[in-house]
């Protein structure tokens, strides 16, 4: 079936779009968007792939679900559209960058600026019904995004995977740790961060160190 995704990725994932589970998933998503308010908007469902091409990819951040509040989700995990207040997890991400990298707290929560530098901001589930967290889980998205992670693991080298929280850490089994770097910590959500499992992980400076070691350009996390 025809999927509107960056051509660079389409060639890598083409076989996945023909599988029965994905055909069923596409049908489900189409019905949900026709009957209910869903996020992100249809053109942004594959935004993570549009902003970060396979060839440029060097860092992967894994989230779980898109934001389900009005107008927040833009297809990149942890990211919100310009002009919106920052959700709690994103605030804690920015606070860690402040202390780790000695950078000012960013005004915009739109993380397209990271994606353009080769950071894949991948939610495990790419769509959600408005005001209904987890409503599109276990419909096939996780199988698709697991295949994305496997493809990156198989076909790239020296990618830095940032696995935050229990859900993301489960994805480690999909990644060849002999050829890639896995940085793990608690989730940036207040529940985890306030218990001491997030702040001080220094994942942003560590990522840049690993990229430098591999001869790649570092990420500007500002």
């Amino acid at each position: 079936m025809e999927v509107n995704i960056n051509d660079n990725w389409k060639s890598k994932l083409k076989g996945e779009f023909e599988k029965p589970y994905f055909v069923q998933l596409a049908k489900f998503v189409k019905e949900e968007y026709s009957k209910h308010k869903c996020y992100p908007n249809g053109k942004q469902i594959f935004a993570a792939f549009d902003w970060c091409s396979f060839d440029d990819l060097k860092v992967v951040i894994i989230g779980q679900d898109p934001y389900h509040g009005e107008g927040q989700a833009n297809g990149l995990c942890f990211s919100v559209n310009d002009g919106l207040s920052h959700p709690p997890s994103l605030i804690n991400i920015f606070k860690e960058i402040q202390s780790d990298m000695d950078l000012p707290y960013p005004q915009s929560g739109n993380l397209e600026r990271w994606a353009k530098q080769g950071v894949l901001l991948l939610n495990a589930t790419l769509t959600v019904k408005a005001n209904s967290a987890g409503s599109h889980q276990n419909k096939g998205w996780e199988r698709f995004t697991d295949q994305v992670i496997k493809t990156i693991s198989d076909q790239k080298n020296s990618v830095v995977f940032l696995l935050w929280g229990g859900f993301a850490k489960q994805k480690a089994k999909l990644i060849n740790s002999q050829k890639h770097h896995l940085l793990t910590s608690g989730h940036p959500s207040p529940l985890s961060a306030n218990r001491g499992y997030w702040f001080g992980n220094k994942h942003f400076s560590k990522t840049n160190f690993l990229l430098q070691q591999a001869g790649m350009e570092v990420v500007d996390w500002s």
Side-chain angles (χ1 to χ4, degrees):
M1 63 180 294
E2 191 61 29
V3 174
N4 189 16
I5 192 172
N6 179 303
D7 286 341
N8 194 235
W9 283 97
K10 190 176 277 189
S11 60
K12 306 289 180 189
L13 301 169
K14 195 174 179 185
E16 218 57 26
F17 302 136
E18 310 302 328
K19 291 180 180 176
Y21 89 88
F22 196 92
V23 175
Q24 282 298 112
L25 169 63
K27 186 181 173 187
F28 165 78
V29 170
K30 200 170 181 181
E31 283 178 7
E32 284 284 284
Y33 272 71
S34 68
K35 292 177 184 173
H36 310 286
K37 183 73 175 168
C38 295
Y39 300 119
N41 73 53
K43 289 182 179 175
Q44 291 183 314
I45 291 172
F46 294 104
F49 305 93
D50 294 333
W51 287 106
C52 175
S53 76
F54 186 85
D55 291 344
D56 294 338
L57 182 154
K58 55 193 177 187
V59 179
V60 179
I61 299 177
I62 297 172
Q64 192 160 358
D65 237 12
Y67 296 122
H68 55 83
E70 177 68 38
Q72 287 181 303
N74 64 3
L76 309 177
C77 72
F78 296 107
S79 174
V80 290
N81 285 309
D82 287 315
L84 292 187
S85 59
H86 302 167
S89 290
L90 185 58
I91 289 171
N92 287 337
I93 288 170
F94 285 162
K95 282 181 177 177
E96 177 59 25
I97 289 171
Q98 256 187 310
S99 68
D100 181 21
M101 304 293 293
D102 197 26
L103 291 167
Y105 187 95
Q107 283 190 320
S108 173
N110 190 334
L111 303 182
E112 288 169 4
R113 60 187 183 273
W114 294 359
K116 289 179 192 173
Q117 299 177 73
V119 181
L120 181 68
L121 295 154
L122 181 68
N123 274 317
T125 300
L126 298 188
T127 57
V128 69
K129 189 160 72 173
N131 306 313
S132 184
S135 49
H136 289 184
Q137 290 178 3
N138 303 315
K139 302 294 183 182
W141 277 130
E142 296 91 341
R143 182 170 168 184
F144 172 70
T145 52
D146 279 0
Q147 186 57 42
V148 170
I149 294 166
K150 283 182 195 166
T151 301
I152 294 166
S153 177
D154 291 346
Q155 298 188 30
K156 301 280 287 186
N157 289 300
S158 301
V159 173
V160 182
F161 288 85
L162 303 181
L163 308 180
W164 300 336
F167 177 84
K169 287 175 187 174
Q170 289 172 19
K171 305 299 180 182
K173 63 181 179 288
L174 306 171
I175 304 160
N176 181 345
S177 59
Q178 300 302 306
K179 56 190 284 214
H180 300 290
H181 307 286
L182 280 65
L183 299 181
T184 62
S185 82
H187 196 275
S189 69
L191 189 66
S192 171
N194 294 339
R195 290 176 177 170
Y197 300 132
W198 166 256
F199 292 115
N201 66 25
K202 298 191 181 296
H203 275 192
F204 304 95
S205 60
K206 287 176 180 175
T207 295
N208 280 355
F209 174 78
L210 292 167
L211 293 175
Q212 269 185 323
Q213 295 289 99
M216 297 185 225
E217 273 191 50
V218 299
V219 176
D220 176 3
W221 296 108
S222 60

